[in-house]
Amino acid sequence: MIFLHSLSIALLVTLVSSADVKKEENVLVLNKNNFDGVISENKYVLVEFYAPWCGHCKALAPEYAKAATSLANEGSEILLAKVDATEETDLAEKYEVRGYPTLKFFRNGKPTEYNGGRTADDLLKWVKKKTGPPATTLESVEDANKLKDSAEVVIIGFFKDQESDAAKAFLEVAAQMDDHPFGITSSDAVFGEFSVTKDGVVLFKKFDEKRNDLFEDITQENLKKFISINSLPLVVDFSHETAQKIFGGEIKFHNLLFLSKKASSYEKLVEAFRKVAKEFRNKVLFVTINTDIEDHERIMDFFGLKIEDAPGMRLIRLEEDMIKYKPETADITEESILSFVQGVIDGKIKKHLLTQDVPSDWDKNPVKVLVGKNFDEVALDKSKDVLVEFYAPWCGHCKQLVPIYDALGEKYKDNANVVIAKMDATANELEHTKINSFPTIKLFKKDTNEVVEYNGERTLDGLSKFIDTNGEYGRAAPQEEVDEEEEKEGKADPRKDEL
């Protein structure tokens, strides 16, 4: 008993009160000495693992501090904290931090992944949703109006019978969706205030048509689709915060308008874009992408656009692969936008494949330069084995491979049966070959044109063996998954990046 008593005292002494921890703008600064104590003694703690040099972390910092201050002013039991993961490497390893920023929510000491947005409003909505009931009970008109006015999008369930299947489906969806606040009411006064005459769901929003109703077939699936589609404005401005909502939504056709917000024609073009968007509501998502933002340059590269091409438009269809479409005219008017979108939907406009012009010296060096226009002629030449590296100019692994691949070209330059080639896969696309990461190395075998992907070591010896064994050494297994590090470095699809 004396031992247990002494142990309990020792444990209590080691706990660190959150009141004693250093704060920066109401955000607790955690380290290996105080982390466990703060997590143990507080019911709810959201922790950001960051790196001082990380651009996204710097962008998050003022929003994170704003959310922390708001919670502190409310006297909330929810705390926000941060850990410099470059200094506290043991903590970062323990909680499996693989990128920055990584946010984890601790409820009674147990961590879960944060998957909300990165504005103060998003952070507050998410933590409050996780710590409260899935939907706020609205007893009065005052309660309902207060909730309605609290956010850009609010969903209220009107159910006389809250034990009905529809009401249960509503509450289940409310528990699963963290982006927006939910309310539920049985009050006759609230029904009357919003002209609701039967059980259903109303989505209130501070933009576009202001309100959307769902009164039939209220199932979880239908509710999720209803909310996903109607919670976005007619025209969505692309950002880190909206990216997941855009690409994770129900609508698979996206019309993208690349333009500078500084341009004198900005308002006029967006208004034309918005007018056409009304015609395709629930069918096509209209998205603006600000070309003034440096991070968006890679997205433009993906579509073969340069800054001087703005304003420019591209339409994509999200299937297993992303299919791109290019308008036949560079003019952007209400009529041209309508014609372009309708033409894609009707199948009258063919998909667009990027290609560069064939360089005049494409075959001057031992490593041949391929583009979309000459790829089939060279790579599918059945008289030769053709090894092709698909690369991206910005890819770190690709840059490391350059001297090795050049040496490989030198080694086989006099072999009449082998061609060593490369293609910039960010500027050239092929109908028959899809590239999902960089670098990707494929052997197009002579006689049959069988394609074998290489997944061995990226050394001169390894690549030579791959060629000399007719694609057996280092051969990638069918549907083989890309290494996690490689995937982060060499994304070929902007859905996996900022777009």
Side-chain angles (χ1 to χ4, degrees):
M1 288 295 292
I2 295 174
F3 170 75
L4 291 175
H5 180 67
S6 300
L7 178 61
S8 65
I9 291 174
L11 288 172
L12 286 170
V13 169
T14 61
L15 288 180
V16 180
S17 169
S18 57
D20 300 327
V21 175
K22 177 185 175 183
K23 291 182 181 178
E24 294 179 355
E25 298 181 281
N26 289 302
V27 177
L28 297 172
V29 180
L30 303 187
N31 53 47
K32 62 183 178 182
N33 297 320
N34 61 23
F35 189 95
D36 290 342
V38 170
I39 296 301
S40 299
E41 73 163 11
N42 293 284
K43 190 174 182 181
Y44 306 118
V45 187
L46 180 64
V47 180
E48 176 203 4
F49 293 86
Y50 72 97
W53 45 259
C54 162
H56 291 303
C57 302
K58 292 176 182 177
L60 175 62
E63 297 295 319
Y64 201 68
K66 185 178 176 182
T69 300
S70 178
L71 290 169
N73 291 340
E74 294 172 10
S76 173
E77 61 180 334
I78 305 167
L79 299 176
L80 266 59
K82 62 182 179 181
V83 173
D84 182 346
T86 66
E87 291 289 336
E88 305 297 333
T89 53
D90 289 344
L91 286 174
E93 183 176 351
K94 178 179 179 180
Y95 292 104
E96 299 179 340
V97 175
R98 298 288 180 265
Y100 306 114
T102 291
L103 283 82
K104 292 184 182 285
F105 184 63
F106 291 81
R107 182 200 297 267
N108 296 320
K110 295 182 179 179
T112 57
E113 293 292 330
Y114 173 85
N115 55 8
R118 294 188 184 177
T119 66
D121 187 48
D122 289 333
L123 289 158
L124 290 170
K125 284 189 294 188
W126 194 93
V127 294
K128 289 181 178 181
K129 187 68 175 290
K130 290 298 183 185
T131 56
T136 303
T137 300
L138 307 174
E139 301 285 2
S140 65
V141 170
E142 183 182 359
D143 290 342
N145 279 319
K146 184 177 179 181
L147 179 67
K148 173 178 171 286
D149 295 336
S150 68
E152 283 287 300
V153 176
V154 173
I155 301 100
I156 297 180
F158 293 80
F159 297 103
K160 293 294 186 182
D161 179 9
Q162 295 193 15
E163 294 300 316
S164 67
D165 289 342
K168 289 177 179 177
F170 175 80
L171 290 171
E172 187 60 39
V173 170
Q176 295 172 24
M177 300 187 77
D178 303 314
D179 293 341
H180 313 293
F182 286 72
I184 188 167
T185 186
S186 301
S187 165
D188 289 338
V190 178
F191 268 65
E193 173 73 9
F194 297 105
S195 303
V196 176
T197 57
K198 61 179 180 178
D199 284 8
V201 177
V202 178
L203 183 147
F204 296 98
K205 55 192 179 186
K206 296 180 180 179
F207 49 85
D208 298 338
E209 63 268 46
K210 307 298 183 182
R211 169 176 171 166
N212 303 101
D213 298 346
L214 180 67
F215 290 112
E216 305 294 337
D217 299 323
I218 300 174
T219 64
Q220 287 191 46
E221 182 181 354
N222 289 344
L223 269 170
K224 288 178 182 177
K225 186 174 182 180
F226 167 76
I227 294 168
S228 174
I229 290 173
N230 292 296
S231 61
L232 286 173
L234 279 169
V235 175
V236 186
D237 189 41
F238 177 81
S239 67
H240 181 88
E241 287 71 33
T242 59
Q244 181 55 40
K245 295 176 183 178
I246 293 169
F247 291 103
E250 297 287 334
I251 299 174
K252 301 307 177 185
F253 281 97
H254 299 169
N255 192 24
L256 313 177
L257 178 60
F258 296 84
L259 76 171
S260 167
K261 284 193 174 182
K262 298 175 183 176
S264 59
S265 60
Y266 177 81
E267 293 295 340
K268 180 181 177 181
L269 292 175
V270 172
E271 183 56 32
F273 207 55
R274 183 176 288 107
K275 286 181 178 179
V276 179
K278 292 178 182 177
E279 301 290 325
F280 296 95
R281 183 67 154 165
N282 301 342
K283 294 180 182 177
V284 180
L285 196 59
F286 283 64
V287 182
T288 55
I289 300 178
N290 184 8
T291 58
D292 300 328
I293 297 175
E294 186 177 348
D295 283 352
H296 293 171
E297 287 184 16
R298 188 183 294 185
I299 302 169
M300 296 184 71
D301 288 343
F302 182 80
F303 290 96
L305 289 167
K306 304 296 181 186
I307 294 292
E308 54 268 25
D309 295 326
M313 194 163 51
R314 294 291 187 271
L315 195 147
I316 57 175
R317 186 170 85 233
L318 302 182
E319 295 181 340
E320 186 173 342
D321 294 310
M322 182 187 287
I323 299 174
K324 306 178 216 177
Y325 300 90
K326 178 182 178 180
E328 296 173 346
T329 175
D331 294 334
I332 299 177
T333 63
E334 192 175 332
E335 293 73 22
S336 67
I337 299 168
L338 180 63
S339 175
F340 173 51
V341 177
Q342 193 62 58
V344 171
I345 291 175
D346 293 343
K348 295 178 181 178
I349 296 179
K350 294 182 179 180
K351 65 181 179 180
H352 175 61
L353 295 173
L354 295 177
T355 183
Q356 296 172 303
D357 291 328
V358 180
S360 58
D361 59 348
W362 71 272
D363 63 345
K364 176 183 176 182
N365 297 313
V367 177
K368 311 307 177 187
V369 178
L370 303 185
V371 296
K373 291 179 178 178
N374 71 343
F375 187 92
D376 287 2
E377 179 185 352
V378 177
L380 303 185
D381 179 353
K382 289 187 176 181
S383 70
K384 304 178 190 298
D385 285 317
V386 183
L387 187 73
V388 182
E389 177 208 356
F390 298 89
Y391 72 94
W394 44 260
C395 162
H397 291 297
C398 303
K399 293 174 183 177
Q400 292 172 9
L401 183 60
V402 169
I404 296 168
Y405 206 71
D406 285 346
L408 187 71
E410 283 289 340
K411 181 175 180 178
Y412 289 92
K413 67 179 181 180
D414 296 323
N415 190 324
N417 297 313
V418 176
V419 173
I420 307 299
K422 64 181 180 181
M423 186 177 87
D424 179 353
T426 68
N428 299 277
E429 297 171 319
L430 305 169
E431 179 76 37
H432 50 69
T433 303
K434 305 303 176 188
I435 304 302
N436 296 315
S437 64
F438 305 119
T440 291
I441 300 171
K442 293 178 181 284
L443 176 66
F444 294 78
K445 297 170 71 170
K446 67 179 181 180
D447 298 329
T448 64
N449 281 156
E450 178 190 354
V451 182
V452 182
E453 186 167 338
Y454 180 67
N455 198 37
E457 63 275 17
R458 294 195 196 115
T459 62
L460 179 60
D461 184 56
L463 289 164
S464 299
K465 287 180 180 178
F466 181 58
I467 295 169
D468 295 342
T469 59
N470 199 29
E472 290 304 316
Y473 179 87
R475 181 187 187 116
Q479 303 299 318
E480 190 168 75
E481 294 185 0
V482 178
D483 174 78
E484 182 179 347
E485 179 186 355
E486 190 73 8
E487 182 67 21
K488 288 181 179 178
E489 170 64 38
K491 304 163 194 165
D493 187 336
R495 283 175 290 181
K496 300 173 186 173
D497 191 36
E498 284 299 306
L499 182 67

